[in-house]
Amino acid sequence: MDFQVVVLAGGNSKNLTPLVSKELPKPLLPVANCPVLNYVLHQLEQSNLKDLIVVVEGEDAALLVGAWISGTFIDRLHVEIAAVPEDIGTAGALRAISHHLTAKDILVVSGDLVSDVPPGALAATHRRHDAAVTTMLCSIPVCGPLESGSSGGKDKAKKLGRYNIIGLDPSKQFLLHIATGAEIEKDARISKRILHAVGQMEMRSDLMDAHMYAFKRSVLQEVLDVKDTFQSLKEDVLPYLVRSQLKSEALLNRTPQGEENSNEKVSSQNNQAFISRILANASTPSFHGIYSENPDGSSSTRKTHKCCVYIASSSSYCVRLNSIQAFMDINRDVTGDADHLLSPNNIIGPSPKLGTKTTVGPNCRLGEGSEMGDKCQVKRSIIGRHCRIGSHVKVVNSVVMNHVTIGDGCIIQGSVICSNVQLQERVELKDCQVGAGFVVTAGSEYKAESLAKKEK
């Protein structure tokens, strides 16, 4: 298919403190005991997209991620690891590696995306329309706890996240408007010139930008070069391309300036024939060029951009691991309704040792080499590898990472326990995060706290 794939894996995300650390960068955060980056790489492999550049923020994180990929995907993927400075943004990361981009089309995927949507479907849509950019849109995930005892503290109700306001053409193939970030808190304002140009626009607030894009390389590199202050693909590059596309179409439709500024209602009837011609030719390489003219009326080819969308099925699973709540949600989902994303292993890993009268409920996953004492209960939780859990311990709606020691009589609800943590006897945690290597003293009780070692 001649696509070059760039996976933006990130590094040490501040939104995920204290889960991430120098020893455990974001791409290696476990989802059901498997690094989150594995889910994207597996989907790319399934779509036969095997020539990858994995971009990691920070030299140390890049070494760790590279070592894991080499051991896991040896002889399966051709991966080049590229280390970039931290906090330069998604557009900045692409700008930093632009000299490595040589293919006609570039597929850019966020490394924190956990999805069952095949990347090949987006790539095929991009090629079919010969688009400048094609973005994947999916249904907004329901986030938050399912019931008392799961992550989230005070807010026990599941809720829809806040993502984008998106405008689509009637065929739902072309992206005509996108508002992100702080923009969506304001009233949506679209000039009459734009509305006259597009004729009809369907506004949607139930879709999110999944951070999977296909770019025509020449367009991407031109934008990154000319707009050297752009840092975000989602908030800078994509809206810029959409605006450029619509401004060009508005100019072609020649709406008078005075009319654009008036308060009259916009009617699309007079422009329907024009839009029909645009949409009829939307799959041709000359989509915009067909209708471009110089001011004197002579024909020319204008530099414009064609922005397309691939809308995933509403039944698809598509969530980004970009917050602690999302970390909890995804770990819950992939051991529950989205368990088809798991690798074909048993729910209980090889060789765990369970004491007498210890119960492990459905939607749980126990890692290799872990041991549990007598009369323990594990419900809707994930236990990592080589953990030592005493007797009379209760773990509910929680994630326990690797090499954790939990003393007798502990109760853990809706919490994340990072690797090498020690919980002494009778500790009670509810809606907490405990950073790597932290020791919680015997008899302690915490609610909605973040516990971590002080940085030296």
Side-chain angles (χ1 to χ4, degrees):
M1 194 176 273
D2 192 31
F3 266 88
Q4 197 170 11
V5 181
V6 178
V7 179
L8 299 177
N12 295 314
S13 172
K14 294 174 184 172
N15 291 339
L16 291 163
T17 303
L19 277 58
V20 297
S21 63
K22 291 182 179 179
E23 294 74 26
L24 186 70
K26 178 182 176 180
L28 302 183
L29 271 180
V31 171
N33 289 337
C34 187
V36 63
L37 184 58
N38 182 83
Y39 292 83
V40 163
L41 299 186
H42 177 71
Q43 286 283 51
L44 291 168
E45 182 183 26
Q46 294 297 106
S47 290
N48 201 33
L49 294 165
K50 300 181 179 181
D51 183 18
L52 318 177
I53 301 174
V54 175
V55 183
V56 184
E57 295 182 8
E59 295 281 353
D60 293 341
L63 289 173
L64 291 171
V65 172
W68 172 76
I69 290 176
S70 297
T72 306
F73 288 92
I74 187 171
D75 298 328
R76 293 165 54 189
L77 298 174
H78 178 262
V79 179
E80 178 182 353
I81 303 294
V84 299
E86 296 183 12
D87 300 323
I88 63 173
T90 51
L94 283 179
R95 191 178 290 112
I97 64 151
S98 60
H99 58 287
H100 292 290
L101 305 180
T102 58
K104 175 186 175 184
D105 294 296
I106 310 297
L107 183 67
V108 182
V109 188
S110 179
D112 63 6
L113 181 65
V114 179
S115 173
D116 55 10
V117 181
L122 175 74
T125 299
H126 181 75
R127 280 289 172 84
R128 184 168 67 252
H129 291 296
D130 189 34
V133 60
T134 305
T135 183
M136 186 172 87
L137 303 177
C138 58
S139 298
I140 292 178
V142 176
C143 64
L146 291 174
E147 57 184 85
S148 179
S150 62
S151 171
K154 297 178 182 178
D155 184 4
K156 296 297 192 296
K158 293 169 72 176
K159 57 184 181 297
L160 289 176
R162 179 167 56 88
Y163 292 92
N164 315 288
I165 296 175
I166 289 168
L168 303 173
D169 78 293
S171 70
K172 298 180 179 62
Q173 298 180 80
F174 299 99
L175 182 61
L176 304 179
H177 176 77
I178 183 165
T180 64
E183 291 180 299
I184 65 175
E185 299 293 345
K186 306 173 185 176
D187 292 337
R189 294 178 181 241
I190 303 171
S191 73
K192 283 189 175 182
R193 176 177 289 180
I194 299 302
L195 290 176
H196 270 294
V198 300
Q200 295 180 28
M201 187 186 300
E202 178 181 335
M203 304 302 293
R204 301 281 295 270
S205 61
D206 60 334
L207 297 172
M208 78 168 191
D209 176 350
H211 277 232
M212 185 186 295
Y213 312 100
F215 288 98
K216 187 172 289 187
R217 178 178 57 82
S218 58
V219 172
L220 175 63
Q221 290 193 320
E222 181 179 352
V223 174
L224 294 177
D225 290 343
V226 174
K227 300 294 183 178
D228 56 3
T229 60
F230 281 2
Q231 290 189 315
S232 169
L233 293 177
K234 175 182 177 181
E235 296 187 8
D236 296 322
V237 174
L238 184 61
Y240 170 77
L241 291 174
V242 172
R243 289 194 304 270
S244 300
Q245 166 188 250
L246 293 183
K247 284 178 182 177
S248 298
E249 291 176 12
L251 287 172
L252 298 178
N253 207 33
R254 302 292 180 88
T255 303
Q257 186 69 30
E259 184 180 347
E260 179 187 355
N261 294 330
S262 71
N263 293 321
E264 296 175 2
K265 291 185 178 180
V266 175
S267 170
S268 64
Q269 293 178 352
N270 295 335
N271 301 286
Q272 209 57 57
F274 174 78
I275 297 305
S276 297
R277 287 161 60 205
I278 288 181
L279 294 177
N281 288 277
S283 61
T284 70
S286 54
F287 171 47
H288 293 292
I290 285 176
Y291 304 104
S292 61
E293 294 179 342
N294 285 323
D296 61 3
S298 61
S299 63
S300 71
T301 301
R302 189 191 307 274
K303 277 189 177 179
T304 59
H305 311 291
K306 181 165 53 173
C307 305
C308 298
V309 295
Y310 173 80
I311 303 178
S313 164
S314 59
S315 61
S316 300
Y317 186 82
C318 184
V319 185
R320 291 187 60 214
L321 198 163
N322 54 8
S323 67
I324 291 175
Q325 184 62 66
F327 175 82
M328 297 295 292
D329 292 342
I330 294 170
N331 272 282
R332 176 198 67 210
D333 294 343
V334 299
T335 54
D337 294 339
D339 60 359
H340 59 282
L341 291 167
L342 289 170
S343 57
N345 295 327
N346 294 328
I347 291 178
I348 297 181
S351 306
K353 296 181 180 179
L354 306 181
T356 59
K357 297 185 179 179
T358 286
T359 59
V360 178
N363 303 335
C364 292
R365 196 167 178 88
L366 302 187
E368 177 183 1
S370 290
E371 299 180 3
M372 302 184 69
D374 299 336
K375 297 182 179 179
C376 294
Q377 296 180 44
V378 180
K379 298 180 180 179
R380 300 178 298 280
S381 296
I382 295 168
I383 308 295
R385 297 175 179 84
H386 305 291
C387 294
R388 299 292 178 266
I389 300 175
S391 299
H392 300 276
V393 172
K394 185 176 182 180
V395 183
V396 180
N397 293 325
S398 296
V399 177
V400 178
M401 297 188 193
N402 301 330
H403 300 281
V404 172
T405 301
I406 301 177
D408 294 345
C410 290
I411 300 175
I412 304 166
Q413 299 183 63
S415 298
V416 182
I417 314 299
C418 295
S419 295
N420 300 303
V421 164
Q422 180 181 350
L423 305 184
Q424 297 179 351
E425 294 82 3
R426 303 180 310 284
V427 167
E428 295 190 19
L429 301 176
K430 184 174 182 181
D431 303 322
C432 292
Q433 300 89 44
V434 185
F438 194 83
V439 177
V440 184
T441 56
S444 299
E445 296 184 14
Y446 293 98
K447 182 177 181 180
E449 295 281 353
S450 180
L451 309 173
K453 287 182 176 181
K454 293 183 179 179
E455 299 215 353
K456 297 180 180 179

